[in-house]
């Protein structure tokens, strides 16, 4: 009815819910429509094409599906004769005592609560006064406001949880990235160190080969010269009388401190097997460091230090000595060095 619809709309109810309530209650008045709205406030509005109108004499279905003899028993329990001497004006839920104006509202109550015991009642549901309508509307609005407040609080909690998870995920990701960068930097530094050592080893090997070639050519030249001059070959004892053979040293083609090569034995201060090599006397102490770096991965050319142990004292070489030759440092023709990585 247009008057009931306007009244409900004026009370602030949603238009779609008003249409649903009026159709579901068969346009039986303002009170049934309002009860329907209050009973179904938490449900979504269905397609009105599938909503069946209720009538006062229609079937109650589901929870209200009873036989005629049960109706007669219900009437008798109210003090009415079987010939309908007393008119039923409402439907009462036997389980909770709630009274409904029509079967449609009773069916909705049965679906919502699960109750299935109903009986007809002579109690009449009086229409709401204006004051009661205002009170119900105020209660409904308060309930809706509380529901919105709870929903807003739940949304805020979910938002905080989501934000905390997002921040934690961001921190975890940043930590993973930092760890990866640190690991990559360490790998690059280790690779550079290995490359540097390999480069020093390669350079030392090349220099050693060059010096070996020089020494071989020098020895060849010395032998050829000795043959031309009729002198004994290098590293061979000359033919001399027996009385002087024991006291005359072999001729090496060099005199005094002019040694072409220096034989070195290098011992590590940390222990282990010593390293031996022969380098030209003009080689610098740095070249000795490069040779040692090429033999082991634990020696850094820029950090290693050398010392020479004399019977009564220790002679240590500083960084400025690295540019001096073995001859200048007095290490020819042979020496034993102690290396400290």
């Amino acid at each position: 009815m247009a008057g009931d619809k306007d009244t409900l709309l004026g009370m602030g109810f949603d238009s779609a819910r008003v249409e649903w309530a009026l159709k579901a209650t068969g346009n039986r008045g303002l009170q049934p429509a309002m009860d329907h709205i209050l009973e179904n406030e938490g449900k979504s509005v269905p397609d009105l094409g599938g909503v069946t109108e209720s009538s006062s004499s229609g079937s109650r279905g589901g929870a209200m599906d009873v036989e005629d003899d049960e109706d007669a028993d219900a009437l008798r329990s109210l003090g009415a004769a079987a010939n309908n001497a007393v008119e039923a004006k409402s439907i009462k839920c036997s389980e909770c005592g709630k009274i409904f104006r029509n079967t449609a509202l009773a069916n909705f109550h049965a679906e919502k609560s699960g109750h299935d015991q109903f009986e007809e009642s002579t109690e009449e549901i009086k229409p709401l006064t204006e004051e009661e309508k205002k009170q119900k509307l105020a209660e409904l609005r308060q309930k809706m406001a509380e529901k919105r407040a709870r929903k807003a609080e739940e949304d805020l909690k979910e938002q905080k949880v989501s934000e905390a998870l997002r921040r934690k995920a961001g921190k975890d990701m940043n930590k993973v990235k930092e760890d990866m960068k640190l690991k990559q930097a360490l790998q690059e530094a280790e690779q550079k160190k290995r490359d540097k050592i390999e480069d020093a080893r390669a350079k030392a090997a090349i220099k050693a080969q060059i010096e070996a070639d020089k020494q071989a050519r020098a020895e060849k030249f010395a032998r050829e010269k000795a043959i031309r001059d009729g002198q004994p070959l290098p590293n061979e004892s000359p033919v001399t009388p027996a009385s002087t053979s024991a006291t005359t040293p072999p001729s090496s083609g060099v005199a005094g401190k002019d040694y072409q090569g220096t034989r070195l034995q290098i011992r590590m201060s940390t222990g282990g097997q010593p390293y031996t090599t022969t380098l030209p006397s003009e080689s610098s102490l740095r070249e000795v460091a490069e040779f040692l770096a090429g033999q082991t991965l634990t020696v850094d050319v820029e950090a290693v230090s050398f010392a020479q142990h004399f019977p009564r004292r220790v002679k240590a070489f500083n960084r400025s000595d690295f540019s001096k030759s073995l001859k200048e440092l007095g290490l020819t023709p042979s020496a034993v060095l102690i290396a400290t990585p």
Side-chain angles (χ1 to χ4, degrees), residues 86-110:
V86 178
E87 181 181 1
K89 296 185 178 180
S90 62
I91 300 172
K92 183 178 181 180
C93 177
S94 301
E95 298 184 36
C96 66
K98 194 170 183 178
I99 299 174
F100 304 95
R101 185 179 297 276
N102 53 47
T103 57
L105 296 177
N107 282 334
F108 283 119
H109 175 71

Side-chain angles (χ1 to χ4, degrees), residues 14-69:
D14 183 67
S15 176
R17 292 191 175 275
V18 170
E19 293 285 352
W20 180 23
L22 292 174
K23 187 170 184 180
T25 57
N27 292 313
R28 290 181 52 79
L30 181 63
Q31 183 61 43
M34 183 178 293
D35 290 340
H36 180 277
I37 292 175
L38 296 177
E39 287 284 341
N40 297 276
E41 64 169 308
K43 299 180 180 179
S44 58
V45 179
D47 183 9
L48 297 181
V51 177
T52 305
E53 296 184 2
S54 303
S55 63
S56 61
S57 60
S59 171
R60 279 174 282 168
M64 296 304 297
D65 188 9
V66 296
E67 301 295 331
D68 292 340
D69 55 343

Side-chain angles (χ1 to χ4, degrees), residues 108-173:
F108 283 119
H109 175 71
E111 293 176 3
K112 184 176 181 180
S113 63
H115 297 169
D116 57 1
Q117 300 297 324
F118 294 84
E119 60 184 3
E120 292 183 339
S121 174
T122 57
E123 295 183 39
E124 183 178 2
I125 301 176
K126 297 180 180 180
L128 296 176
T129 63
E130 292 296 327
E131 187 65 26
E132 290 174 337
K133 290 179 182 178
K134 292 180 180 179
Q135 183 178 358
K136 274 188 174 285
L137 180 59
E139 291 175 356
L140 180 60
R141 285 177 175 171
Q142 182 180 0
K143 189 180 294 185
M144 293 177 67
E146 291 175 354
K147 186 176 180 181
R148 291 192 186 100
R150 287 195 301 272
K151 184 68 168 59
E153 185 177 357
E154 291 174 358
D155 292 343
L156 181 60
K157 288 181 179 179
E158 291 180 359
Q159 185 178 358
K160 289 182 178 180
V161 171
S162 299
E163 181 65 17
L165 292 175
R166 186 189 66 79
R167 290 182 179 180
K168 186 177 183 302
K171 290 181 180 179
D172 294 342
M173 183 60 67

